[in-house]
Amino acid sequence: MPQEQYAHRNTMQTSEGPQVYKVGIYGWRKRCLYFFVLLLMILILVNLAMTIWILKVMNFTIDGMGNLRITEKGLKLEGDSEFLKPLYAKEIRSRPGNPLYFQSARNVTVNILNEKTKVLTRLVTGPQAVEAHSQKFEVKTLSGKLLFSADDNEVVVGAERLRVLGAEGTVFPKSIETPNVRADPFKELRLESPTRALVMEAPKGIEINAEAGSLKATCRTELRLESKDGEIMLNSAKIKLPNLPQGSSSSAGSRQKIYELCVCPNGRLFLSQAGTSSTCQINTSVCL
């Protein structure tokens, strides 16, 4: 640049003064920016208010949320709780002194699995029945005494007394083994087989005892008392056989009331009017 032009340019800049260049956003852009900043602040305040409201409604605290409390021993639920999906826990128990309720609209099922997730024991409580599926079912007292046990082979009743309160009694389709069968005090005991035979067997004897009443044995056809190797003893102050048949008397007009008890070869008993000697052979027609 020639020296004259450079000096002329410096003289013009000096006469006009320094130029100022403005940096920033002006006009409608500035107003839009302020509007977005204000809208963002409003959204932040609304979000903060909603968060505080949710924490208040859900009862969020340092220890937990709502009825759920986090303690050193685990989770603690106060009040009714509803689980929409499976619950996995090592132990479920109620507060000391309060009962534990399991409520369901249908069934409540408790399963016990092995390492291969195979069901070993299942307890199902439903509206129709309570079912237990296991290899063995036991009921014990607090002291550990067995009250009831059931498995594939047998059912054991370990109580000292088995009471059946049904009006029709107890029906055993097969045999029953017990050391003692007795009724409640002041109640009668009936052993009855309506359509079949009633058989009682014991290797060392059977004792039928009625200490405060009478003993009655009734059948439709025959009542048989049989002893293969021993004897049948009737020990009583009075032995009555009221409906025994009577043989023909030797004299039609005799009023003698002394009779002889006779036994037929088939075991049938009958009465024969006593005489100076045995009259049983005279009335052998009764044995036919």
Side-chain angles (χ1 to χ4, degrees), residues 42-230:
I42 294 173
L43 292 177
I44 292 175
L45 293 177
V46 172
N47 191 9
L48 182 60
M50 290 293 295
T51 303
I52 296 175
W53 179 76
I54 292 175
L55 293 176
K56 184 65 176 178
V57 171
M58 299 299 294
N59 195 13
F60 276 95
T61 60
I62 300 176
D63 297 331
M65 177 189 68
N67 295 331
L68 180 63
R69 296 289 182 268
I70 301 175
T71 62
E72 297 179 355
K73 297 181 180 180
L75 298 179
K76 180 179 180 182
L77 289 174
E78 298 178 354
D80 298 337
S81 301
E82 181 178 356
F83 300 94
L84 302 179
K85 293 185 178 181
L87 173 64
Y88 299 93
K90 182 179 180 180
E91 182 181 358
I92 299 176
R93 62 181 180 180
S94 64
R95 291 182 298 177
N98 293 332
L100 178 63
Y101 295 98
F102 291 95
Q103 184 176 354
S104 173
R106 300 183 64 182
N107 296 341
V108 176
T109 304
V110 179
N111 293 332
I112 298 179
L113 311 177
N114 58 4
E115 295 80 3
K116 299 181 181 180
T117 66
K118 182 180 179 181
V119 178
L120 298 179
T121 303
R122 173 179 297 173
L123 177 63
V124 181
T125 58
Q128 300 296 331
V130 178
E131 300 179 2
H133 303 267
S134 62
Q135 296 181 356
K136 190 173 183 180
F137 179 76
E138 292 184 353
V139 179
K140 296 183 179 181
T141 61
L142 295 177
S143 60
K145 182 181 178 181
L146 181 64
L147 295 179
F148 180 83
S149 175
D151 55 16
D152 294 338
N153 299 324
E154 62 180 2
V155 176
V156 178
V157 179
E160 297 180 357
R161 178 181 298 181
L162 175 62
R163 300 185 61 184
V164 180
L165 303 179
E168 300 297 330
T170 305
V171 178
F172 298 98
K174 295 185 178 180
S175 62
I176 176 175
E177 181 179 351
T178 176
N180 189 9
V181 178
R182 64 180 180 181
D184 289 338
F186 307 104
K187 300 290 183 178
E188 63 178 10
L189 175 64
R190 298 182 60 183
L191 301 178
E192 182 179 357
S193 178
T195 58
R196 296 296 180 91
L198 178 62
V199 180
M200 293 185 293
E201 297 180 355
K204 293 185 178 181
I206 298 176
E207 180 180 356
I208 302 176
N209 187 12
E211 297 181 355
S214 59
L215 178 63
K216 182 179 180 181
T218 305
C219 66
R220 186 174 181 85
T221 56
E222 295 182 359
L223 176 63
R224 180 179 299 176
L225 301 177
E226 181 180 354
S227 177
K228 295 181 179 180
D229 297 331

